Amino acid sequence: MIKEIVVISGKGGTGKTSITAAFATLAKNIVVADCDVDAADLHLVLSPQIERTEDFTGGKCARIEPGLCMGCGKCESICRFEAVSLNGPANDLIAKTYLIDPTECEGCGVCAKFCPTDAIVMEDDVSGQWFVSRTHVGPMVHAKLKAGGENSGKLVTLIRNESRSIAESVGADIVLTDGPPGTGCPVIASLTGASMAVIVTEPTMSGVHDLKRVAELVEYFKIPASLIINKCDINSDKSDEIAGFAESHNIEMLGRLPYDPDVTKAQIAGMSITQYSDNNISRLIRDIWGQLEHKE
């Protein structure tokens, strides 16, 4: 049975992706999935070689057929998003037709429903691309949304499904997922049905607050959870508070990682910390991965 480990965090900037990248370079026989589709950056460390590219259709976008528009203005008057303007090309009836700005259109379809001449069509909106790639650690599935791209939760589900399919086809033991931060729809999509969640947090007030929120989410889905406190030495009191919270909520403490400037140097070099240096933090991460690798 394929084990799916999802690394998440209650907030951005905790070091989640750096730790996931380190796990990936330590693991054997894995498929990597980057589900942080709104701000993907795992590729900066794993340097994937793209083998397949697919468009992602997140929703619909309205478009006006200029030849059918009679310039009644109904679409403009009912559009809540101010996506319609009298700025389209002329036709046989009027000097200007109405035009829909695709960057403002939310794809609700109201304009198409009430257009008296059926001049408005709803078309698939390509809001990004997803990729199947080859890396030095194994296959990787990842994506890139356009600026303002919609339905990232749907894209996360697509990436997870493709990752599991590839894992089955190549006989991989583990799907290692870099999940999105926060508690929104993309996080829910990355967690549903996972084998285990690894929560990465930091000892700050916002780190503690957001840890509690994401812990509630993991508990709701009844997914076994464990915890890593990153940069634990920047505030030892908060680290102890986090450890106490984990113990009281049956979240296993995997380890505490101290702040280490070598992590930043490794990122600049395009490497994981475990590739860059065999220092204390690398050894701690190796120990943590050893615990995860042997969990059922």
Side-chain angles (χ1 to χ4, degrees):
M1 182 178 177
I2 298 169
K3 181 162 59 177
E4 185 173 3
I5 302 172
V6 183
V7 185
I8 57 173
S9 60
K11 61 180 288 294
T14 62
K16 167 182 61 66
T17 298
S18 296
I19 290 172
T20 304
F23 287 164
T25 56
L26 294 172
K28 298 179 178 65
N29 200 22
I30 64 166
V31 173
V32 179
D34 189 352
C35 288
D36 189 1
V37 296
D38 291 288
D41 53 13
L42 188 59
H43 63 281
L44 298 175
V45 179
L46 298 185
S47 303
Q49 303 298 307
I50 297 173
E51 296 182 331
R52 178 157 61 98
T53 302
E54 302 281 352
D55 286 336
F56 170 67
T57 302
K60 298 284 186 179
C61 186
R63 181 177 63 82
I64 297 175
E65 293 280 5
L68 299 177
C69 178
M70 67 178 188
C72 69
K74 182 70 173 176
C75 52
E76 184 180 31
S77 67
I78 63 176
C79 180
R80 294 180 57 194
F81 307 103
E82 300 182 353
V84 187
S85 62
L86 187 60
N87 200 32
N91 62 21
D92 294 338
L93 299 175
I94 51 178
K96 275 189 177 182
T97 56
Y98 280 87
L99 183 71
I100 295 175
D101 183 348
T103 63
E104 299 292 339
C105 177
E106 291 290 325
C108 68
V110 171
C111 58
K113 183 175 179 62
F114 288 96
C115 177
T117 61
D118 294 326
I120 302 177
V121 294
M122 300 300 297
E123 299 178 327
D124 287 339
D125 179 30
V126 177
S127 55
Q129 293 180 314
W130 61 277
F131 315 98
V132 177
S133 298
R134 174 172 40 86
T135 75
H136 64 282
V137 301
M140 177 175 175
V141 186
H142 51 120
K144 182 178 182 180
L145 276 177
K146 293 180 181 177
E150 296 288 343
N151 287 311
S152 56
K154 180 180 174 183
L155 179 55
V156 167
T157 299
L158 189 156
I159 289 174
R160 288 189 64 203
N161 289 342
E162 185 67 21
S163 300
R164 284 193 291 256
S165 178
I166 292 173
E168 290 171 358
S169 67
V170 301
D173 298 320
I174 296 172
V175 173
L176 178 63
T177 300
D178 184 17
T183 57
C185 180
V187 183
I188 293 169
S190 70
L191 282 173
T192 308
S195 307
M196 64 181 70
V198 177
I199 305 171
V200 179
T201 191
E202 60 182 13
T204 62
M205 289 186 66
S206 59
V208 172
H209 174 268
D210 293 333
L211 163 65
K212 292 177 179 178
R213 294 171 65 234
V214 77
E216 287 179 9
L217 185 65
V218 173
E219 184 179 7
Y220 177 82
F221 284 105
K222 296 180 170 57
I223 298 170
S226 51
L227 180 68
I228 298 171
I229 305 176
N230 194 29
K231 294 171 279 189
C232 64
D233 49 348
I234 64 172
N235 190 327
S236 53
D237 289 340
K238 285 293 179 187
S239 291
D240 291 341
E241 180 183 341
I242 290 170
F245 172 83
E247 184 178 1
S248 65
H249 287 76
N250 297 316
I251 299 173
E252 180 185 1
M253 176 64 71
L254 287 173
R256 303 189 190 199
L257 302 176
Y259 171 77
D260 192 327
D262 276 356
V263 175
T264 302
K265 293 176 184 177
Q267 291 172 335
I268 294 170
M271 303 169 69
S272 73
I273 182 61
T274 47
Q275 291 174 304
Y276 182 79
S277 173
D278 187 25
N279 60 5
N280 180 52
I281 192 168
S282 292
R283 289 189 288 271
L284 290 170
I285 292 174
R286 288 178 188 277
D287 177 67
I288 290 170
W289 177 250
Q291 297 175 59
L292 286 171
E293 199 172 22
H294 295 101
K295 283 185 183 296
E296 295 298 330

